[in-house]
Amino acid sequence: MDLHIIIYPKCNLKCSYCFYNVNSLSYKKNKLDLASIQTWIDKSNGQIENVTFTGGEPTLHRNFLEIVSQISDQVESIKIISNGTMLTREMAESLKQYKAKIDISLDSITSNLHEEIRGGFKKTINGINIAKEIGILSGINTVLTTSNLDQVDDLIAFARLKETKINFSPVDIEESNSLNLLSLSLQEKNSLLRKLENYYCDDRNHYFKLFYLYLHNNKLPNFTKCYFSLRNIILDSDGNFYPCYPRKDIQNSCLGSIFNNSFEDVMLKLQEMKLGSCFKLECFGLYQ
């Protein structure tokens, strides 16, 4: 199983579409500590193979590097999902030593647009450059909205220049919002799909098909089972486990607590949930 840890729920940027900023998810008080995480992973008897640290912005955690360094001895790999603004050369060197990779979020290579959407453009680009130079850059994450569609080709070219992949996800925001991709004309949707098809045509064609179904049907595809939860669980900053990010605020979706429940307890509760066709926009990027 892969464990996704929301190690620090708050962020130093203000993305206009952020789950937390648009109230689709709520902040949870940070109760996690290194000892509890280590003990729980250790008692999983090797069942936790990979860990992803996310947030908020995980690098803001005051003990971030210490936590990564200690957990790295217990798992096969570590990934950091970050905005890149806090990444220094020293931090990147340490992450490489701890066999960690980093995905950095970038919504435009035009500074004005990125500043408008997220903020921190210069620091983000600097973080990407450092990660590439040190050898820990594993990807660039881009949220697609109606405001940055003209950036798709340039973002793909930028990712190729940095010799990394780019992960596109549709913005998760109400349909009435003008940033939502469903507000595009048919011509605009087809133009976007052609660009994505050209990029995803090789090893991630399944992901392009999700985009195609979503934009052409004007609704999300249905799944008979949740493929993400077959291999992943979420550990929120308050110490509670969930089958995925969107279910953090859904009643009766908690799988247990890191302080009170074992790996076996959490897995049993996950199996009992029998998750089915609850695919949401927030889920999109998880299937890349």
Side-chain angles (χ1 to χ4, degrees):
M1 293 290 288
D2 293 352
L3 177 62
H4 299 243
I5 305 177
I6 302 175
I7 194 173
Y8 195 79
K10 296 187 178 181
C11 186
N12 57 336
L13 298 183
K14 275 282 189 180
C15 300
S16 57
Y17 49 73
C18 176
F19 300 148
Y20 298 105
N21 290 340
V22 297
N23 298 319
S24 60
L25 288 180
S26 60
Y27 286 112
K28 302 292 177 64
K29 187 175 180 180
N30 195 7
K31 298 180 181 178
L32 290 177
D33 62 274
L34 175 58
S36 297
I37 298 172
Q38 282 186 292
T39 299
W40 195 86
I41 292 177
D42 186 57
K43 289 184 177 180
S44 74
N45 296 317
Q47 295 299 306
I48 299 298
E49 299 171 344
N50 308 295
V51 167
T52 295
F53 288 106
T54 182
E57 174 51 46
T59 60
L60 291 175
H61 194 290
R62 61 182 180 180
N63 298 320
F64 171 67
L65 284 178
E66 180 188 1
I67 292 173
V68 173
S69 68
Q70 296 301 314
I71 299 301
S72 67
D73 293 330
Q74 297 179 275
V75 296
E76 295 179 10
S77 71
I78 289 177
K79 179 182 280 190
I80 318 296
I81 308 295
S82 171
N83 60 38
T85 59
M86 302 295 292
L87 188 67
T88 63
R89 190 172 301 278
E90 181 181 9
M91 182 187 292
E93 292 280 9
S94 295
L95 291 176
K96 184 175 183 178
Q97 178 184 344
Y98 307 143
K99 60 186 179 185
K101 298 286 187 178
I102 189 167
D103 277 13
I104 295 179
S105 301
L106 180 70
D107 287 346
S108 170
I109 60 168
T110 302
S111 60
N112 289 345
L113 183 55
H114 186 87
E115 286 293 339
E116 179 184 333
I117 298 173
R118 286 182 180 270
F121 177 76
K122 290 183 179 179
K123 290 183 178 180
T124 295
I125 293 296
N126 184 57
I128 291 172
N129 289 336
I130 289 174
K132 166 68 170 93
E133 182 180 338
I134 302 301
I136 63 169
L137 183 63
S138 55
I140 292 172
N141 295 333
T142 296
V143 175
L144 286 177
T145 71
T146 55
S147 66
N148 65 348
L149 295 186
D150 62 342
Q151 295 283 304
V152 171
D153 287 335
D154 290 338
L155 283 163
I156 290 173
F158 180 75
R160 285 174 173 158
L161 179 66
K162 299 302 177 182
E163 299 179 303
T164 193
K165 66 179 181 179
I166 187 165
N167 306 308
F168 291 108
S169 300
V171 64
D172 176 29
I173 204 163
E174 63 272 11
E175 290 186 25
S176 59
N177 193 301
S178 61
L179 292 176
N180 193 297
L181 295 182
L182 294 185
S183 67
L184 295 172
S185 67
L186 181 59
Q187 182 178 357
E188 289 171 325
K189 289 177 182 178
N190 286 334
S191 175
L192 172 59
L193 286 170
R194 282 193 294 271
K195 295 175 182 180
L196 295 177
E197 184 176 25
N198 288 335
Y199 181 66
Y200 286 121
C201 63
D202 297 326
D203 60 336
R204 289 189 284 175
N205 189 51
H206 69 284
Y207 189 64
F208 165 74
K209 290 178 180 178
L210 283 182
F211 260 104
Y212 182 87
L213 291 171
Y214 171 55
L215 292 179
H216 264 273
N217 295 335
N218 287 321
K219 63 180 182 180
L220 292 167
N222 259 334
F223 290 118
T224 56
K225 64 174 67 175
C226 175
Y227 293 96
F228 178 78
S229 63
L230 293 177
R231 283 287 309 159
N232 301 268
I233 48 175
I234 308 298
L235 174 59
D236 206 351
S237 55
D238 63 355
N240 288 329
F241 291 100
Y242 297 91
C244 61
Y245 293 97
R247 283 186 168 267
K248 288 192 327 98
D249 283 353
I250 298 178
Q251 191 174 9
N252 300 322
S253 289
C254 180
L255 302 174
S257 166
I258 193 172
F259 307 113
N260 302 315
N261 299 100
S262 67
F263 175 83
E264 290 75 16
D265 292 338
V266 172
M267 290 298 100
L268 181 60
K269 185 67 180 291
L270 181 62
Q271 292 170 9
E272 291 174 351
M273 277 193 177
K274 297 180 181 179
L275 298 170
S277 56
C278 55
F279 188 81
K280 301 179 183 298
L281 273 174
E282 297 158 89
C283 306
F284 240 92
L286 304 174
Y287 282 77
Q288 298 199 61

